[in-house]
Structure formats: C-alpha cells, structure tokens
C-alpha cells in the first residue's frame, strides 16, 4: 500500500552571521510550534528543528509542504536572513505513524535535500525548488503513470516558482505587507483596517505589488498538486482539495490571532 506525502527542508541564508544565532534558533523553534498547530487536523506529521538553522517537515498530501512553506515565507521576519525550501512529493510504502524522522532514509528525503543544496549554490536563491526526478522511481504498479513525466512537472513547477519569486523580490516593504496580510485576512477592508490605510491605498499597493499574480500562482500550484494526488489515489478517504482547505483555514485562523507578527517583517 502507498501513501502520498510531501517534504520540505528549510534552510536560512547567512545564518552564521555574528549575533543572530540564538534569536534565529528561538524563532525556528517557534515556527515548528506554529506548523504543528496548523497541521493539527492532518496528523500524523513530522517536523523537527535540527542542525542549527534547518527545519524538516514530512506530512500527508502532495501539496501540504508547499502550502506550509509559502505561508512561512510570507510571515518570515528576518529579512536579511531569508529562508529557502527544498521540496519534494511522492509516495511511500509506510504509514507516517511508523516513521522515525531522525532515522528515516528515503529517496524523497534525498530529493528535498538535493533541492535545498541546489538553492544554497544559486546566487539568486529563489525561495522554493522542487526536485522530483533525481532519485525516485515511484510506484510502477500505479495505473496513473504521471511519474513518467516527473522531469516535465519539475521544470514547469520550478519555472512558475521562479517567476513568483521574481515578483516577490520586486515588491516594496508595504506591498509585501499588503500581500501577506491579504493572504491571511482575504478581505481588502480587513487589510486596510489592520494596516491603518484607506481601501484605495490598499488597492494600489495590491496592484503595483503584483499580489494577485503571486497569490494566484500559489493557488494554482496547490490545485495542481492536489489534482495529481487525487488521480494517483482515487480512493482517498479525504479529497486533497478538502484537506488543503482545512489546512488553509487552520493556518489563517491561527495567524489572525497572531496578526501583529506581520509588523515585525
């Protein structure tokens, strides 16, 4: 029996800078706690802060790791020490309950690690990179053989993510704040009230910051991964779109209670 999962490995740029270590380590511990709260209804998951500036996440569903990584990237507060995420997804033959993340060796972990290493060597260093085709052959018995097109999926996903990253990098601080606030609050009026700005001002920053394009890319990647999962596992008890919806609701509910964290970015 196979189980759909996704993985991210978060690393931090310039984490060895003098004077940042303890504060950054505490922040990563906080993010582990927050991700644990966000995924409460999706258990089992595994998430660990290890190796100083690294977080590893493994959870059910093809889109889960990307959803979490995207939200973490939008609320991240150390702007001189940005995170980057190596990502992978696929199928395993063990239930996540039976995995010890500290000892587990699997090609999907290796792929996420490889993606992370490629980002580390990239001078432009996008936020996200998927690796799907290096070490993982997939399940040859599965009748839905999207695995034969892994290289093409990888290319398209990473191209979209690079364009998304370019748009994010071009945002001003206020445009970035509007975009992140809108991702959480989902209403222009609520964003305006939170930031103390008029609706026309919020609308202007939203448009000039290409927020619609950034958030649309996030949504479409999530939907594509969910569609792949559904077609690969047509008898899933919970529809991947429903699972993602529950995850989004959980993240937004928690972040609304902690919305002032955005003022630190």
């Amino acid at each position: 029996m196979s189980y759909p999962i996704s993985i991210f490995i978060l690393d931090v740029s310039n984490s060895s800078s003098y004077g940042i270590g303890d504060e950054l380590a505490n922040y990563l511990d906080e993010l582990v706690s927050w991700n644990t709260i966000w995924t409460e209804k999706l258990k089992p998951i595994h998430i660990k802060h290890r190796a100083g500036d690294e977080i590893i996440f493994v959870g059910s569903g093809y889109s889960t790791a990307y959803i979490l990584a995207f939200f973490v990237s939008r609320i991240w507060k150390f702007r001189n020490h940005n995170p980057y995420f190596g990502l992978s997804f696929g199928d395993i033959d063990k239930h996540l309950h039976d995995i010890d993340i500290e000892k587990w060796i699997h090609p999907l972990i290796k792929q996420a690690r490889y993606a992370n290493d490629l980002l580390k060597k990239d001078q432009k260093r996008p936020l996200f990179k998927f690796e799907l085709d290096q070490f993982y052959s997939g399940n040859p018995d599965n009748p839905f053989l999207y695995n034969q097109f892994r290289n093409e999926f990888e290319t398209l996903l990473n191209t979209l993510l690079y364009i998304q990253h370019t748009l994010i990098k071009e945002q001003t601080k206020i445009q970035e704040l509007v975009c992140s606030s809108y991702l959480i609050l989902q209403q222009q009026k609520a964003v305006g009230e939170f930031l103390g700005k008029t609706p026309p001002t919020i609308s202007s920053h939203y448009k000039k910051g290409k927020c619609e394009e950034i958030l649309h890319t996030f949504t479409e990647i999530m939907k594509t991964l969910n569609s792949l999962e559904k077609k690969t596992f047509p008898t899933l008890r919970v529809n991947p779109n429903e699972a993602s919806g529950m995850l989004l609701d959980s993240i937004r509910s928690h972040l609304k209670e902690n919305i002032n964290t955005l003022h630190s970015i």
Side-chain angles (χ1 to χ4, degrees), residues 61-64 66-67 89 130 132 144 146 149 152-154 156-158 160 216-232 240-241 244:
Y62 285 176
S63 69
T64 305
Y66 174 62
I67 293 171
F89 68 86
F130 278 96
L132 308 178
F144 179 63
Y146 85 88
F149 304 114
E152 289 80 2
F153 279 124
E154 180 185 303
L156 290 172
L157 283 171
N158 287 332
L160 285 172
H216 179 70
T217 303
F218 163 69
T219 300
E220 290 306 305
I221 290 174
M222 176 184 67
K223 288 180 178 178
T224 298
L225 295 175
N226 288 341
S227 178
L228 283 176
E229 182 183 350
K230 179 62 177 175
K231 290 178 179 177
T232 307
N241 287 320
S244 292

Side-chain angles (χ1 to χ4, degrees), residues 24-49:
L24 180 59
N26 291 335
Y27 184 58
L28 292 175
D29 285 338
E30 181 180 14
L31 288 177
V32 167
S33 297
W34 282 25
N35 276 264
T36 302
I37 292 169
W38 297 347
T39 54
E40 179 67 28
K41 295 181 180 179
L42 298 181
K43 287 183 176 178
I45 62 106
H46 297 281
I47 185 166
K48 293 283 185 181
H49 170 202

Side-chain angles (χ1 to χ4, degrees), residues 50-120:
R50 61 186 190 182
D53 61 352
E54 177 184 291
I55 292 176
I56 182 170
F57 168 85
V58 183
S60 299
Y62 285 176
S63 69
T64 305
Y66 174 62
I67 293 171
L68 295 172
F70 187 77
F71 272 88
V72 168
S73 75
R74 295 309 303 184
I75 66 171
W76 184 266
K77 72 177 185 179
F78 292 98
R79 285 320 186 193
N80 294 323
H81 308 274
N82 284 324
Y84 52 97
F85 299 82
L87 293 146
S88 66
F89 68 86
D91 320 317
I92 59 174
D93 58 6
K94 283 186 177 182
H95 197 279
L96 285 174
H97 277 302
D98 302 323
I99 289 173
D100 181 347
I101 192 62
E102 295 291 351
K103 300 177 181 178
W104 190 46
I105 299 173
H106 193 276
L108 287 173
I109 292 283
K110 194 174 182 182
Q111 285 180 188
R113 175 76 59 195
Y114 181 65
N116 189 271
D117 289 342
L118 290 175
L119 286 172
K120 188 175 297 186

Side-chain angles (χ1 to χ4, degrees), residues 78-206:
F78 292 98
R79 285 320 186 193
N80 294 323
H81 308 274
N82 284 324
Y84 52 97
F85 299 82
L87 293 146
S88 66
F89 68 86
D91 320 317
I92 59 174
D93 58 6
K94 283 186 177 182
H95 197 279
L96 285 174
H97 277 302
D98 302 323
I99 289 173
D100 181 347
I101 192 62
E102 295 291 351
K103 300 177 181 178
W104 190 46
I105 299 173
H106 193 276
L108 287 173
I109 292 283
K110 194 174 182 182
Q111 285 180 188
R113 175 76 59 195
Y114 181 65
N116 189 271
D117 289 342
L118 290 175
L119 286 172
K120 188 175 297 186
K121 297 173 184 175
D122 191 333
Q123 290 186 344
K124 295 183 179 179
R125 193 168 289 172
L127 288 167
F128 312 108
K129 187 174 182 62
F130 278 96
E131 279 297 324
L132 308 178
D133 201 37
Q134 291 296 317
F135 312 107
Y136 181 55
S137 60
N139 182 358
D141 297 325
N142 196 306
F144 179 63
L145 296 178
Y146 85 88
N147 282 324
Q148 63 186 308
F149 304 114
R150 283 194 312 278
N151 184 59
E152 289 80 2
F153 279 124
E154 180 185 303
T155 299
L156 290 172
L157 283 171
N158 287 332
T159 299
L160 285 172
L161 289 170
Y162 186 81
I163 294 171
Q164 182 191 70
H165 173 72
T166 300
L167 295 177
I168 290 172
K169 290 290 287 183
E170 291 176 350
Q171 288 182 319
T172 65
K173 185 172 181 179
I174 185 60
Q175 290 167 355
E176 184 177 358
L177 191 54
V178 166
C179 192
S180 296
S181 302
Y182 194 89
L183 174 67
I184 296 167
L185 300 172
Q186 297 184 282
Q187 293 181 346
Q188 183 174 292
K189 181 180 178 181
V191 172
E193 290 175 352
F194 168 60
L195 297 178
K197 298 186 180 298
T198 64
T201 299
I202 295 297
S203 179
S204 176
H205 288 311
Y206 187 85

